[in-house]
Amino acid sequence: MTDLVNSFRTQPDAEGHFGQFGGRYVAETLMPLILDLEAEYRAAKADPAFKAQFDHLMKHYVGRPSPLYYAERLTDHFRKSAPDGKGPKIYFKREELNHTGAHKINNCIGQILLAIRMGKTRIIAETGAGQHGVATATVAARFGLPCTIFMGAKDVERQKPNVFRMKLLGAEVQPVTSGAQTLKDAMNEALRDWVANVHDTFYIIGTAAGPHPYPELVRDFQSVIGTEARAQILEAEGRLPDLLIAPVGGGSNAIGLFHPFLDDAQVAMIGTEAAGHGLDKEHAASLAGGSPGILHGNKTYLLQDEDGQITEAHSISAGLDYPGIGPEHSWLHEIGRASYLPITDDEALEAFQLCCKLEGIIPALESAHALAALPHKVAEYGEDQIVIVNLSGRGDKDIFTVADAMGVAM
Amino acid sequence: MTDRFANAYSKGPALVCFITAGDGDTAANLDALVAGGADVIELGMPFTDPMADGGAIQAANLRSLGKGTTTKDVLAIAAGFRARHPEVPLVLMGYANPMVHRGSDWFAAEAARAGVDGVICVDIPPEEDAELGPALRNAGIDVIRLATPTTDAKRLPAVLAGSGGFLYYVSVAGITGKQQAAQASIEDAVAKLKAATDLPVAVGFGVRTPEQAEAIARVADGVVVGSALVDIVGRDGANAPAALKEFTAALATAVHTAREPAL
């Protein structure tokens, strides 16, 4: 039985705080709406019809449950170089097989159902790599709501296939030319649009961050990942895993995998942050290279200078190119329940290629950051132990970036 | 409320002028605003991510940060202003992260030392007051809150609790410098706010002309103008003070004479 007093799964508190993190740092114009959203989310959570509708769409539209797959050749590969008896069994949670090719759709289904419950008639979202933009455009099309996606102009340029996908799905893509023209700036612009259109617009935030209740509700919708994985590994192996690994930008796929396991003390968890060119150079590792601060509605670890000005992030993965992280990860980091490992662009690229060649799976560059933790960790785990890696998305969108990094002209 | 606010709002409707610190020759620009007739000064603290601001003030933030403006510089500009203008109330306006980064007590103490009377923090709503509010009030600085068209009667007491100086009514649900609200809706909102508080009520967002300012001044205790002034700084650079003074004078005349009977 779970001891609720000592549970790691009861956050946030009533004010939306995960320890010192989270909260509701928004302009007054948005506060009433945020409070409405919270009330509506509480009502939806208690409504069996809402859950039934969510589950139905998850099964028939998204294609869940996603498989838990034993990556046999990758397991063998690491055992060859590991000390005797070392090298755990590696499983992939196959979120890349979801409709739209990533975990993002789980959250979008949940949020658009909330939007409809609240009577909102227009959808907006921010996107970095375009995965969340595509997932949002998808559910907006499915439910017949007009949709505007804010995307940094630089990301529009480096993620052309996803931009076209969003347009095919009927969304308007609004390139954002302020700041560094990436995810952070897209989020600023989405907030500006939202504050001017609160009466009819629902903002589908793409990660487990932003003002309360977003970090909580995004986590809850994404927790389908961990809930499934827990049941699947018990069925496959008759026991819980020893280690979970997931990539962390904002960290929605990671918190979705971790959360259902948080009270299983024997399960270790690693979130991989994007270390870009290295922690001493340009990177996007807000835990390893940042400090607590306030941005985009929540208190969390941020990349910032000595005056609290936000500094630019860098990662080869557009989805990790953000100077912050979801507040629950900041909390898990501070209390030590999860640990976070910086992974460089080069390490991710190597893992990307290894996964293609050994498993016949082209992973998203975000997911490749999780795979790249394996060389750091396999020697610590025995052959009878189990690691689950969250394969959060497929890598078709990244082939141009990878080709460029490999010096291949396409 | 500090005496400076009380004085500024006791003489009839007040003109509240905003510019961004570190954008242009800020000391000279501030002096021009006062010379033109500004009653209250709001000095914007630049931030990399001004989420509640429209294009004009976003650009001013970037111009300022691009020149390397630091928090220390902003506080020095404030202290310089206080030395030159002992009577004019001075408000620092900005976003939470630069204000709390070195600790709210540090910021409150430094702002008080610089002679700041009030602070507007755009992204700290009453629900997160503990982050900065107690430190400011302990240092004798008013926490100036925003009320908006979405702030309903149920929520208003929470907004007013712990607030001081004046109440800033954001007349449109939106960002700075864009459209202006209909006069009728402003009158209605101000009447409701004034029934709920003794604080002066200043109205801003989207006020760009003396005509708009005059109409608002007939019903509100203050009129806030920001983007239109910041645009002049961006346009005229080193020559901005002359144009700022002229435009502020037109605004001030409109505001200060708004309640005089028409001839």
Side-chain angles (χ1 to χ4, degrees):
Chain A
M1 199 176 76
T2 308
D3 177 356
L4 281 180
V5 176
N6 293 313
S7 173
F8 294 108
R9 303 184 63 221
T10 56
Q11 303 279 327
D13 67 16
E15 303 302 316
H17 294 112
F18 303 85
Q20 65 155 317
F21 301 106
R24 291 177 283 218
Y25 297 89
V26 294
E28 172 62 22
T29 311
L30 291 177
M31 258 327 286
L33 185 68
I34 298 268
L35 295 171
D36 280 355
L37 174 61
E38 188 186 347
E40 197 62 54
Y41 180 56
R42 298 275 166 254
K45 234 176 149 172
D47 180 358
F50 183 85
K51 188 180 182 326
Q53 198 181 6
F54 180 74
D55 290 348
H56 183 87
L57 286 160
M58 282 290 148
K59 182 175 176 189
H60 298 284
Y61 190 66
V62 175
R64 303 204 71 93
S66 69
L68 185 74
Y69 162 77
Y70 175 40
E72 196 174 353
R73 293 196 67 213
L74 198 66
T75 299
D76 287 346
H77 168 82
F78 284 117
R79 279 181 182 166
K80 273 180 216 150
S81 53
D84 242 17
K86 296 290 185 186
K89 285 181 89 166
I90 299 164
Y91 280 84
F92 289 168
K93 181 60 175 163
R94 301 284 308 273
E95 289 298 300
E96 100 280 10
L97 292 177
N98 293 337
H99 181 38
T100 73
H103 67 288
K104 294 288 186 188
I105 190 86
N106 304 328
N107 167 47
C108 289
I109 294 278
Q111 287 200 50
I112 201 152
L113 293 179
L114 277 178
I116 292 164
R117 267 183 86 101
M118 293 177 78
K120 301 296 181 188
T121 54
R122 173 176 175 262
I123 299 297
I124 59 168
E126 86 295 341
T127 196
Q131 293 305 96
H132 175 59
V134 167
T136 303
T138 297
V139 298
R142 166 66 182 75
F143 289 94
L145 295 179
C147 169
T148 300
I149 306 291
F150 295 92
M151 188 170 188
K154 190 171 138 195
D155 289 336
V156 169
E157 200 46 47
R158 61 178 170 173
Q159 301 288 339
K160 281 181 188 152
N162 272 344
V163 172
F164 186 59
R165 278 187 193 102
M166 287 183 262
K167 288 181 176 167
L168 281 175
L169 292 160
E172 179 200 351
V173 179
Q174 191 87 46
V176 176
T177 53
S178 59
Q181 313 186 357
T182 60
L183 180 54
K184 165 174 88 87
D185 311 290
M187 197 149 182
N188 290 335
E189 208 56 36
L191 285 164
R192 290 182 188 117
D193 180 291
W194 196 27
V195 82
N197 296 288
V198 277
H199 57 287
D200 69 351
T201 297
F202 191 99
Y203 180 12
I204 298 189
I205 293 183
T207 192
H212 177 64
Y214 280 102
E216 176 186 349
L217 67 87
V218 174
R219 174 200 73 199
D220 291 349
F221 294 138
Q222 292 292 2
S223 288
V224 65
I225 301 171
T227 304
E228 281 178 9
R230 201 171 184 283
Q232 287 166 322
I233 199 71
L234 286 173
E235 190 187 327
E237 295 281 351
R239 54 176 297 238
L240 291 173
D242 299 282
L243 175 64
L244 307 173
I245 305 175
V248 178
S252 70
N253 85 80
I255 203 70
L257 177 65
F258 293 175
H259 197 259
F261 292 95
L262 282 177
D263 287 335
D264 299 311
Q266 68 272 41
V267 181
M269 300 169 189
I270 293 175
T272 55
E273 292 194 285
H277 297 311
L279 288 180
D280 56 339
K281 303 185 184 76
E282 290 177 296
H283 63 84
S286 22
L287 291 176
S291 57
I294 296 167
L295 181 69
H296 292 154
N298 58 175
K299 184 189 275 192
T300 192
Y301 274 79
L302 300 171
L303 301 181
Q304 54 187 326
D305 70 10
E306 67 279 5
D307 273 341
Q309 305 292 352
I310 309 304
T311 53
E312 297 298 344
H314 164 78
S315 170
I316 191 170
S317 151
L320 303 180
D321 201 345
Y322 180 72
I325 184 170
E328 193 161 12
H329 286 296
S330 288
W331 177 69
L332 292 171
H333 165 71
E334 279 214 346
I335 63 170
R337 178 61 188 95
S339 57
Y340 295 83
L341 183 67
I343 296 293
T344 63
D345 288 353
D346 289 345
E347 290 177 298
L349 279 166
E350 197 174 315
F352 179 98
Q353 294 171 70
L354 191 67
C355 185
C356 291
K357 284 183 182 140
L358 292 182
E359 294 295 343
I361 296 171
I362 301 176
L365 276 171
E366 293 79 12
S367 314
H369 280 73
L371 293 166
L374 290 168
H376 294 268
K377 288 288 151 187
V378 283
E380 295 172 24
Y381 288 84
E383 287 184 348
D384 56 342
Q385 292 188 291
I386 299 165
V387 176
I388 298 176
V389 178
N390 203 8
L391 220 68
S392 54
R394 67 177 180 228
D396 307 52
K397 68 183 173 64
D398 292 318
I399 56 173
F400 301 101
T401 307
V402 172
D404 193 43
M406 291 168 70
V408 177
M410 299 216 340
Chain B
M1 196 188 323
T2 68
D3 291 344
R4 290 193 197 99
F5 282 128
N7 290 338
Y9 283 102
S10 67
K11 296 171 281 188
L15 174 64
V16 183
C17 290
F18 171 99
I19 57 172
T20 299
D23 179 27
D25 182 346
T26 309
N29 291 341
L30 290 172
D31 291 349
L33 297 177
V34 174
D39 301 295
V40 179
I41 295 294
E42 285 180 12
L43 183 61
M45 292 182 66
F47 183 44
T48 40
D49 295 82
M51 289 150 284
D53 284 300
I57 297 177
Q58 282 178 48
N61 278 268
L62 293 181
R63 285 194 299 266
S64 173
L65 292 173
K67 278 169 48 189
T69 305
T70 64
T71 299
K72 215 179 242 174
D73 296 334
V74 175
L75 291 164
I77 290 168
F81 177 86
R82 175 53 66 233
R84 297 193 306 280
H85 304 282
E87 302 304 325
V88 182
L90 178 63
V91 175
L92 284 181
M93 179 167 185
Y95 292 84
N97 205 45
M99 293 186 186
V100 303
H101 186 66
R102 290 184 176 86
S104 56
D105 288 330
W106 179 88
F107 177 71
E110 291 297 313
R113 199 149 58 146
V116 168
D117 302 290
V119 165
I120 302 173
C121 185
V122 175
D123 52 349
I124 297 189
E127 282 78 358
E128 302 292 350
D129 183 70
E131 191 71 41
L132 184 61
L136 290 173
R137 287 186 288 269
N138 286 340
I141 295 177
D142 284 320
V143 173
I144 295 164
R145 290 259 173 74
L146 307 176
T148 74
T150 61
T151 310
D152 56 20
K154 199 177 97 207
R155 199 176 151 65
L156 188 55
V159 170
L160 293 171
S163 79
F166 60 96
L167 184 64
Y168 186 149
Y169 179 62
V170 174
S171 64
V172 287
I175 52 179
T176 54
K178 291 282 193 178
Q179 78 278 30
Q180 199 209 354
Q183 180 68 15
S185 74
I186 292 177
E187 288 175 12
D188 182 48
V190 170
K192 283 181 183 148
L193 295 173
K194 289 196 68 69
T197 179
D198 293 332
L199 290 175
V201 176
V203 175
F205 274 46
V207 185
R208 285 185 166 270
T209 67
E211 291 73 28
Q212 292 172 329
E214 182 182 354
I216 291 171
R218 281 190 212 113
V219 295
D221 302 308
V223 181
V224 188
V225 180
S227 294
L229 296 166
V230 162
D231 275 342
I232 292 173
V233 177
R235 185 191 70 199
D236 292 0
N239 300 319
L244 282 175
K245 184 180 165 187
E246 189 187 335
F247 182 57
T248 305
L251 292 167
T253 303
V255 168
H256 294 151
T257 62
R259 295 189 192 173
E260 289 171 9
L263 292 175

